[in-house]
Amino acid sequence: MDPHLLRTFVTVVRTGSFSAAAAELGYTQAAVSQQIASLENDLKVALLHRRPVGTTEAGARLLEHAGPILLRLQAARSEIVRMSGTARARLRVGASPLASAYIADPLARARAAHPRVEAAVQVMGRAEIDVAVAAGDLDIGLVDGIAAPNDPLRLADTVPLAAVAIAERPLALVLPSAHPLASRPGADLNDLVDALWLDVPDVAVPLPALRQATGARDGFTPSLTCEGGDLPFLLALIAAGHGLAVLPAGLARGEGLAEVPVRAPRVVHRTELLHSRATDPATAAFVDALS
């Protein structure tokens, strides 16, 4: 199966039209149509409905495989380029909002050791980081999440990455200081599935992760959903009474806030550093400084 044809197929599905895919890929619309026809001829099955554009049953199944296949190819290319020593001297670091606190010092040490390196930092969503590192868009990824004590985070296993544990911290239920639960010595999240929760998935522990940790099929219903955001914004929402959140212990600073240690389920907040197995000198210096 030609990966170029597969990439065209994925782009057509994502953009929803042959013309939009052609504009993004730099082809003519006729060339995109021909590439899709070639892929269908190769597989002996129709993959797309044309009007409107949508996947057939076979196309939907191929789409499930296409993402990991293309990511693996891109990761292989990135790793081999690193090994060849022909890559540009740059250090691109991506981190989730809470994990970004670990960037400053190791970045300074890496830049001091390699003053000509082009450095860039991006704060981004947790779910994007491992894929970006695997694809070579980032050299370093810092990601956080919850796990059982001493267990690694569950990341996409499509591409092998080196993962280094940076920190493990206990979890706390963060709530307004006037909340009835604020005086409790500990919290069992299993008893709070029906509470009102803030859904700020890139900062607080995501609600699906709380359901998984407690084994709840439903519950943990968001009272307010927020895409993006940062820690001060989340704490302001909690203090104003919009809902509860689970965070690493010790972060709820400010008036009107309280922390209650999470006693059950037995999980911790974990931060990991991700990088390709082939590292350039600047990346290696960052890893050494942090780990």
Side-chain angles (χ1 to χ4, degrees), residues 206-266:
L207 300 185
L210 296 182
R211 293 190 197 100
Q212 184 176 29
T214 58
R217 293 186 178 181
D218 49 25
F220 295 101
T221 303
S223 64
L224 181 67
T225 298
C226 176
E227 295 183 8
D230 56 19
L231 180 60
F233 178 62
L234 172 61
L235 296 179
L237 290 175
I238 297 171
H242 291 286
L244 313 181
V246 174
L247 288 166
L251 295 185
R253 303 183 183 93
E255 294 184 6
L257 293 169
E259 285 190 358
V260 178
V262 172
R263 302 300 189 198
R266 191 166 176 264

Short mmCIF file of all heavy atoms in Angstrom, two decimals, residues 206-266:
data_model
loop_
_atom_site.label_atom_id
_atom_site.label_comp_id
_atom_site.label_asym_id
_atom_site.label_seq_id
_atom_site.Cartn_x
_atom_site.Cartn_y
_atom_site.Cartn_z
N PRO A 206 -8.48 14.88 33.97
CA PRO A 206 -9.65 14.76 33.10
C PRO A 206 -10.73 13.88 33.73
O PRO A 206 -10.43 12.88 34.40
CB PRO A 206 -9.09 14.14 31.82
CG PRO A 206 -7.64 14.46 31.84
CD PRO A 206 -7.24 14.45 33.29
N LEU A 207 -11.98 14.23 33.50
CA LEU A 207 -13.08 13.48 34.09
C LEU A 207 -13.12 12.03 33.61
O LEU A 207 -13.41 11.14 34.42
CB LEU A 207 -14.41 14.19 33.80
CG LEU A 207 -14.51 15.62 34.36
CD1 LEU A 207 -15.90 16.19 34.13
CD2 LEU A 207 -14.14 15.67 35.83
N PRO A 208 -12.82 11.72 32.33
CA PRO A 208 -12.77 10.30 31.95
C PRO A 208 -11.73 9.51 32.75
O PRO A 208 -11.94 8.33 33.04
CB PRO A 208 -12.41 10.35 30.45
CG PRO A 208 -12.93 11.66 29.99
CD PRO A 208 -12.71 12.59 31.15
N ALA A 209 -10.63 10.17 33.12
CA ALA A 209 -9.61 9.49 33.92
C ALA A 209 -10.13 9.21 35.32
O ALA A 209 -9.81 8.17 35.92
CB ALA A 209 -8.34 10.34 33.99
N LEU A 210 -10.96 10.10 35.86
CA LEU A 210 -11.56 9.85 37.17
C LEU A 210 -12.56 8.69 37.09
O LEU A 210 -12.62 7.85 38.00
CB LEU A 210 -12.26 11.11 37.69
CG LEU A 210 -11.35 12.32 37.98
CD1 LEU A 210 -12.18 13.47 38.53
CD2 LEU A 210 -10.24 11.94 38.95
N ARG A 211 -13.34 8.63 36.02
CA ARG A 211 -14.26 7.50 35.85
C ARG A 211 -13.49 6.19 35.76
O ARG A 211 -13.87 5.19 36.37
CB ARG A 211 -15.10 7.69 34.58
CG ARG A 211 -16.07 8.85 34.64
CD ARG A 211 -17.03 8.84 33.46
NE ARG A 211 -17.66 10.14 33.31
CZ ARG A 211 -17.28 11.06 32.42
NH1 ARG A 211 -16.28 10.80 31.59
NH2 ARG A 211 -17.91 12.22 32.36
N GLN A 212 -12.41 6.20 35.01
CA GLN A 212 -11.62 4.98 34.86
C GLN A 212 -10.99 4.57 36.18
O GLN A 212 -10.97 3.39 36.54
CB GLN A 212 -10.54 5.19 33.80
CG GLN A 212 -9.73 3.93 33.50
CD GLN A 212 -8.74 4.15 32.39
OE1 GLN A 212 -8.24 5.25 32.18
NE2 GLN A 212 -8.43 3.10 31.64
N ALA A 213 -10.49 5.53 36.93
CA ALA A 213 -9.83 5.22 38.19
C ALA A 213 -10.80 4.65 39.22
O ALA A 213 -10.44 3.78 40.02
CB ALA A 213 -9.15 6.47 38.76
N THR A 214 -12.04 5.16 39.21
CA THR A 214 -13.04 4.70 40.18
C THR A 214 -13.86 3.52 39.68
O THR A 214 -14.60 2.90 40.45
CB THR A 214 -14.01 5.85 40.53
OG1 THR A 214 -14.65 6.31 39.33
CG2 THR A 214 -13.27 6.99 41.20
N GLY A 215 -13.76 3.22 38.37
CA GLY A 215 -14.58 2.16 37.80
C GLY A 215 -16.01 2.58 37.56
O GLY A 215 -16.87 1.73 37.32
N ALA A 216 -16.29 3.89 37.58
CA ALA A 216 -17.65 4.38 37.37
C ALA A 216 -17.98 4.37 35.88
O ALA A 216 -17.19 4.85 35.06
CB ALA A 216 -17.80 5.78 37.93
N ARG A 217 -19.16 3.86 35.53
CA ARG A 217 -19.58 3.86 34.13
C ARG A 217 -20.08 5.23 33.71
O ARG A 217 -20.03 5.59 32.53
CB ARG A 217 -20.65 2.81 33.90
CG ARG A 217 -20.15 1.39 34.07
CD ARG A 217 -21.23 0.39 33.69
NE ARG A 217 -20.74 -0.98 33.79
CZ ARG A 217 -21.47 -2.04 33.49
NH1 ARG A 217 -22.74 -1.90 33.09
NH2 ARG A 217 -20.96 -3.26 33.61
N ASP A 218 -20.62 5.98 34.64
CA ASP A 218 -21.07 7.33 34.35
C ASP A 218 -20.78 8.19 35.57
O ASP A 218 -19.99 7.81 36.43
CB ASP A 218 -22.56 7.35 33.98
CG ASP A 218 -23.42 6.58 34.97
OD1 ASP A 218 -23.00 6.43 36.13
OD2 ASP A 218 -24.51 6.11 34.58
N GLY A 219 -21.42 9.34 35.66
CA GLY A 219 -21.10 10.25 36.75
C GLY A 219 -19.96 11.18 36.37
O GLY A 219 -19.53 11.24 35.22
N PHE A 220 -19.44 11.93 37.35
CA PHE A 220 -18.43 12.96 37.11
C PHE A 220 -18.90 13.88 35.98
O PHE A 220 -18.19 14.14 35.01
CB PHE A 220 -17.07 12.34 36.80
CG PHE A 220 -16.49 11.58 37.95
CD1 PHE A 220 -16.56 10.19 38.00
CD2 PHE A 220 -15.89 12.25 39.00
CE1 PHE A 220 -16.05 9.49 39.07
CE2 PHE A 220 -15.36 11.55 40.07
CZ PHE A 220 -15.45 10.16 40.11
N THR A 221 -20.14 14.35 36.12
CA THR A 221 -20.76 15.20 35.11
C THR A 221 -20.22 16.62 35.21
O THR A 221 -20.20 17.20 36.30
CB THR A 221 -22.29 15.21 35.29
OG1 THR A 221 -22.76 13.87 35.24
CG2 THR A 221 -22.95 16.04 34.20
N PRO A 222 -19.79 17.19 34.10
CA PRO A 222 -19.25 18.55 34.18
C PRO A 222 -20.34 19.59 34.40
O PRO A 222 -21.38 19.56 33.74
CB PRO A 222 -18.58 18.75 32.82
CG PRO A 222 -19.26 17.79 31.90
CD PRO A 222 -19.64 16.61 32.76
N SER A 223 -20.09 20.50 35.33
CA SER A 223 -20.98 21.65 35.50
C SER A 223 -20.56 22.79 34.57
O SER A 223 -21.35 23.67 34.26
CB SER A 223 -20.95 22.14 36.95
OG SER A 223 -19.66 22.63 37.28
N LEU A 224 -19.29 22.75 34.15
CA LEU A 224 -18.76 23.76 33.23
C LEU A 224 -17.60 23.14 32.48
O LEU A 224 -16.72 22.52 33.08
CB LEU A 224 -18.29 25.00 34.01
CG LEU A 224 -17.74 26.16 33.18
CD1 LEU A 224 -18.84 26.79 32.34
CD2 LEU A 224 -17.09 27.21 34.08
N THR A 225 -17.60 23.29 31.17
CA THR A 225 -16.53 22.76 30.33
C THR A 225 -15.70 23.91 29.79
O THR A 225 -16.24 24.92 29.34
CB THR A 225 -17.11 21.95 29.15
OG1 THR A 225 -17.85 20.84 29.67
CG2 THR A 225 -16.00 21.43 28.25
N CYS A 226 -14.39 23.74 29.83
CA CYS A 226 -13.48 24.79 29.39
C CYS A 226 -12.35 24.16 28.59
O CYS A 226 -11.64 23.28 29.08
CB CYS A 226 -12.92 25.56 30.58
SG CYS A 226 -11.70 26.80 30.12
N GLU A 227 -12.17 24.59 27.36
CA GLU A 227 -11.05 24.14 26.54
C GLU A 227 -9.88 25.08 26.75
O GLU A 227 -10.04 26.29 26.70
CB GLU A 227 -11.45 24.10 25.07
CG GLU A 227 -12.54 23.08 24.75
CD GLU A 227 -12.85 23.01 23.27
OE1 GLU A 227 -12.11 23.65 22.49
OE2 GLU A 227 -13.83 22.34 22.90
N GLY A 228 -8.71 24.50 26.95
CA GLY A 228 -7.54 25.32 27.22
C GLY A 228 -7.53 25.77 28.68
O GLY A 228 -7.95 25.04 29.58
N GLY A 229 -7.05 26.98 28.92
CA GLY A 229 -6.99 27.49 30.28
C GLY A 229 -5.66 27.20 30.94
O GLY A 229 -4.80 26.51 30.40
N ASP A 230 -5.49 27.75 32.13
CA ASP A 230 -4.27 27.51 32.90
C ASP A 230 -4.65 27.36 34.37
O ASP A 230 -5.84 27.44 34.74
CB ASP A 230 -3.25 28.63 32.70
CG ASP A 230 -3.82 30.02 33.03
OD1 ASP A 230 -4.85 30.10 33.74
OD2 ASP A 230 -3.24 31.02 32.57
N LEU A 231 -3.66 27.12 35.21
CA LEU A 231 -3.94 26.84 36.62
C LEU A 231 -4.62 28.01 37.34
O LEU A 231 -5.62 27.79 38.04
CB LEU A 231 -2.65 26.43 37.33
CG LEU A 231 -2.78 26.10 38.81
CD1 LEU A 231 -3.73 24.93 39.03
CD2 LEU A 231 -1.40 25.79 39.41
N PRO A 232 -4.14 29.26 37.22
CA PRO A 232 -4.83 30.35 37.93
C PRO A 232 -6.30 30.48 37.51
O PRO A 232 -7.17 30.76 38.36
CB PRO A 232 -4.02 31.59 37.54
CG PRO A 232 -2.66 31.06 37.24
CD PRO A 232 -2.89 29.74 36.58
N PHE A 233 -6.57 30.29 36.22
CA PHE A 233 -7.95 30.39 35.75
C PHE A 233 -8.80 29.28 36.36
O PHE A 233 -9.93 29.52 36.82
CB PHE A 233 -7.98 30.30 34.23
CG PHE A 233 -9.36 30.33 33.63
CD1 PHE A 233 -10.17 31.43 33.80
CD2 PHE A 233 -9.83 29.25 32.90
CE1 PHE A 233 -11.45 31.46 33.25
CE2 PHE A 233 -11.10 29.28 32.35
CZ PHE A 233 -11.91 30.39 32.52
N LEU A 234 -8.27 28.06 36.39
CA LEU A 234 -9.01 26.95 36.98
C LEU A 234 -9.29 27.21 38.46
O LEU A 234 -10.42 26.99 38.94
CB LEU A 234 -8.22 25.65 36.82
CG LEU A 234 -8.77 24.43 37.57
CD1 LEU A 234 -10.17 24.07 37.10
CD2 LEU A 234 -7.83 23.23 37.40
N LEU A 235 -8.29 27.67 39.21
CA LEU A 235 -8.49 27.94 40.64
C LEU A 235 -9.53 29.03 40.86
O LEU A 235 -10.31 28.97 41.81
CB LEU A 235 -7.16 28.32 41.28
CG LEU A 235 -6.08 27.23 41.29
CD1 LEU A 235 -4.80 27.75 41.94
CD2 LEU A 235 -6.56 25.96 41.98
N ALA A 236 -9.55 30.02 39.97
CA ALA A 236 -10.56 31.08 40.10
C ALA A 236 -11.96 30.53 39.88
O ALA A 236 -12.91 30.92 40.58
CB ALA A 236 -10.26 32.20 39.09
N LEU A 237 -12.11 29.60 38.94
CA LEU A 237 -13.41 28.98 38.70
C LEU A 237 -13.86 28.17 39.92
O LEU A 237 -15.03 28.20 40.30
CB LEU A 237 -13.35 28.07 37.47
CG LEU A 237 -13.19 28.75 36.11
CD1 LEU A 237 -13.03 27.69 35.01
CD2 LEU A 237 -14.38 29.64 35.80
N ILE A 238 -12.93 27.46 40.53
CA ILE A 238 -13.27 26.67 41.71
C ILE A 238 -13.69 27.58 42.85
O ILE A 238 -14.71 27.36 43.51
CB ILE A 238 -12.08 25.78 42.13
CG1 ILE A 238 -11.74 24.77 41.03
CG2 ILE A 238 -12.39 25.05 43.43
CD1 ILE A 238 -10.45 24.01 41.27
N ALA A 239 -12.90 28.61 43.11
CA ALA A 239 -13.20 29.52 44.21
C ALA A 239 -14.55 30.20 44.03
O ALA A 239 -15.24 30.51 45.01
CB ALA A 239 -12.09 30.57 44.34
N ALA A 240 -14.94 30.41 42.77
CA ALA A 240 -16.22 31.06 42.49
C ALA A 240 -17.40 30.10 42.57
O ALA A 240 -18.54 30.51 42.39
CB ALA A 240 -16.19 31.72 41.11
N GLY A 241 -17.11 28.81 42.84
CA GLY A 241 -18.19 27.85 43.05
C GLY A 241 -18.72 27.18 41.80
O GLY A 241 -19.81 26.60 41.82
N HIS A 242 -17.95 27.19 40.71
CA HIS A 242 -18.43 26.57 39.47
C HIS A 242 -18.31 25.05 39.47
O HIS A 242 -18.94 24.38 38.65
CB HIS A 242 -17.66 27.14 38.27
CG HIS A 242 -17.98 28.58 37.99
ND1 HIS A 242 -19.16 28.98 37.43
CD2 HIS A 242 -17.25 29.71 38.21
CE1 HIS A 242 -19.17 30.29 37.29
NE2 HIS A 242 -18.02 30.76 37.77
N GLY A 243 -17.51 24.50 40.36
CA GLY A 243 -17.37 23.05 40.41
C GLY A 243 -16.09 22.64 41.10
O GLY A 243 -15.28 23.49 41.52
N LEU A 244 -15.88 21.32 41.22
CA LEU A 244 -14.71 20.76 41.88
C LEU A 244 -13.70 20.28 40.83
O LEU A 244 -14.02 20.12 39.66
CB LEU A 244 -15.12 19.58 42.77
CG LEU A 244 -16.33 19.77 43.69
CD1 LEU A 244 -16.57 18.50 44.49
CD2 LEU A 244 -16.13 20.97 44.60
N ALA A 245 -12.48 20.02 41.28
CA ALA A 245 -11.46 19.47 40.39
C ALA A 245 -10.45 18.70 41.23
O ALA A 245 -10.32 18.93 42.45
CB ALA A 245 -10.75 20.57 39.60
N VAL A 246 -9.75 17.78 40.60
CA VAL A 246 -8.67 17.04 41.24
C VAL A 246 -7.35 17.51 40.62
O VAL A 246 -7.20 17.56 39.39
CB VAL A 246 -8.83 15.52 41.06
CG1 VAL A 246 -7.60 14.79 41.59
CG2 VAL A 246 -10.09 15.04 41.77
N LEU A 247 -6.40 17.87 41.51
CA LEU A 247 -5.11 18.40 41.09
C LEU A 247 -4.00 17.79 41.95
O LEU A 247 -4.29 17.20 43.00
CB LEU A 247 -5.07 19.92 41.27
CG LEU A 247 -5.88 20.78 40.29
CD1 LEU A 247 -6.00 22.20 40.82
CD2 LEU A 247 -5.21 20.77 38.92
N PRO A 248 -2.74 17.92 41.53
CA PRO A 248 -1.66 17.55 42.43
C PRO A 248 -1.74 18.35 43.73
O PRO A 248 -2.05 19.54 43.70
CB PRO A 248 -0.40 17.90 41.63
CG PRO A 248 -0.83 17.95 40.22
CD PRO A 248 -2.25 18.40 40.23
N ALA A 249 -1.47 17.72 44.83
CA ALA A 249 -1.56 18.39 46.12
C ALA A 249 -0.58 19.56 46.18
O ALA A 249 0.53 19.50 45.65
CB ALA A 249 -1.26 17.40 47.24
N GLY A 250 -1.01 20.64 46.83
CA GLY A 250 -0.15 21.79 47.05
C GLY A 250 -0.29 22.91 46.05
O GLY A 250 0.39 23.93 46.17
N LEU A 251 -1.17 22.75 45.05
CA LEU A 251 -1.30 23.77 44.02
C LEU A 251 -2.40 24.78 44.31
O LEU A 251 -2.44 25.84 43.70
CB LEU A 251 -1.57 23.13 42.65
CG LEU A 251 -0.45 22.28 42.06
CD1 LEU A 251 -0.83 21.83 40.65
CD2 LEU A 251 0.87 23.03 42.04
N ALA A 252 -3.32 24.44 45.21
CA ALA A 252 -4.48 25.31 45.46
C ALA A 252 -4.10 26.42 46.41
O ALA A 252 -4.38 26.37 47.61
CB ALA A 252 -5.64 24.50 46.00
N ARG A 253 -3.43 27.43 45.87
CA ARG A 253 -3.04 28.58 46.67
C ARG A 253 -4.00 29.73 46.39
O ARG A 253 -4.38 29.97 45.27
CB ARG A 253 -1.62 29.01 46.33
CG ARG A 253 -0.58 27.90 46.54
CD ARG A 253 0.82 28.42 46.24
NE ARG A 253 1.81 27.37 46.37
CZ ARG A 253 2.23 26.62 45.36
NH1 ARG A 253 1.73 26.82 44.15
NH2 ARG A 253 3.14 25.68 45.54
N GLY A 254 -4.39 30.43 47.42
CA GLY A 254 -5.26 31.59 47.24
C GLY A 254 -6.44 31.56 48.18
O GLY A 254 -6.78 30.52 48.77
N GLU A 255 -7.04 32.70 48.34
CA GLU A 255 -8.18 32.81 49.22
C GLU A 255 -9.39 32.07 48.64
O GLU A 255 -9.58 32.03 47.43
CB GLU A 255 -8.53 34.28 49.44
CG GLU A 255 -7.47 35.06 50.19
CD GLU A 255 -7.92 36.49 50.46
OE1 GLU A 255 -9.08 36.81 50.16
OE2 GLU A 255 -7.09 37.27 50.96
N GLY A 256 -10.16 31.51 49.54
CA GLY A 256 -11.40 30.88 49.12
C GLY A 256 -11.23 29.47 48.62
O GLY A 256 -12.17 28.89 48.07
N LEU A 257 -10.05 28.85 48.80
CA LEU A 257 -9.79 27.50 48.29
C LEU A 257 -9.38 26.57 49.42
O LEU A 257 -8.78 26.99 50.41
CB LEU A 257 -8.69 27.52 47.23
CG LEU A 257 -9.02 28.21 45.92
CD1 LEU A 257 -7.76 28.38 45.08
CD2 LEU A 257 -10.07 27.42 45.14
N ALA A 258 -9.70 25.31 49.25
CA ALA A 258 -9.29 24.29 50.21
C ALA A 258 -8.89 23.03 49.44
O ALA A 258 -9.37 22.78 48.33
CB ALA A 258 -10.42 23.97 51.18
N GLU A 259 -7.99 22.27 50.03
CA GLU A 259 -7.57 20.98 49.47
C GLU A 259 -7.93 19.88 50.46
O GLU A 259 -7.68 20.00 51.66
CB GLU A 259 -6.06 20.94 49.22
CG GLU A 259 -5.59 21.73 48.03
CD GLU A 259 -4.12 21.44 47.72
OE1 GLU A 259 -3.49 20.66 48.47
OE2 GLU A 259 -3.61 21.99 46.73
N VAL A 260 -8.48 18.79 49.91
CA VAL A 260 -8.74 17.60 50.71
C VAL A 260 -7.98 16.45 50.07
O VAL A 260 -8.17 16.17 48.88
CB VAL A 260 -10.25 17.27 50.75
CG1 VAL A 260 -10.50 15.99 51.55
CG2 VAL A 260 -11.03 18.43 51.37
N PRO A 261 -7.07 15.79 50.79
CA PRO A 261 -6.30 14.70 50.18
C PRO A 261 -7.20 13.60 49.63
O PRO A 261 -8.18 13.21 50.26
CB PRO A 261 -5.44 14.18 51.35
CG PRO A 261 -5.39 15.32 52.32
CD PRO A 261 -6.71 16.03 52.20
N VAL A 262 -6.86 13.10 48.45
CA VAL A 262 -7.59 11.98 47.86
C VAL A 262 -7.07 10.69 48.48
O VAL A 262 -5.89 10.35 48.32
CB VAL A 262 -7.43 11.95 46.33
CG1 VAL A 262 -8.04 10.67 45.75
CG2 VAL A 262 -8.09 13.18 45.70
N ARG A 263 -7.94 9.99 49.22
CA ARG A 263 -7.55 8.74 49.88
C ARG A 263 -7.85 7.52 49.02
O ARG A 263 -7.16 6.50 49.12
CB ARG A 263 -8.30 8.61 51.22
CG ARG A 263 -8.07 9.75 52.20
CD ARG A 263 -6.62 9.91 52.58
NE ARG A 263 -6.43 10.87 53.67
CZ ARG A 263 -5.28 11.43 53.96
NH1 ARG A 263 -4.20 11.15 53.24
NH2 ARG A 263 -5.18 12.28 54.96
N ALA A 264 -8.89 7.61 48.21
CA ALA A 264 -9.28 6.50 47.35
C ALA A 264 -9.93 7.07 46.09
O ALA A 264 -10.60 8.11 46.16
CB ALA A 264 -10.25 5.57 48.08
N PRO A 265 -9.67 6.43 44.94
CA PRO A 265 -8.80 5.27 44.73
C PRO A 265 -7.32 5.64 44.92
O PRO A 265 -6.99 6.83 44.97
CB PRO A 265 -9.09 4.87 43.29
CG PRO A 265 -9.52 6.14 42.64
CD PRO A 265 -10.27 6.91 43.68
N ARG A 266 -6.49 4.64 45.01
CA ARG A 266 -5.08 4.87 45.30
C ARG A 266 -4.33 5.17 44.00
O ARG A 266 -3.79 4.30 43.33
CB ARG A 266 -4.48 3.65 46.00
CG ARG A 266 -3.08 3.90 46.57
CD ARG A 266 -2.68 2.78 47.52
NE ARG A 266 -1.32 2.96 47.98
CZ ARG A 266 -0.25 2.38 47.44
NH1 ARG A 266 -0.41 1.54 46.43
NH2 ARG A 266 0.96 2.59 47.93
#
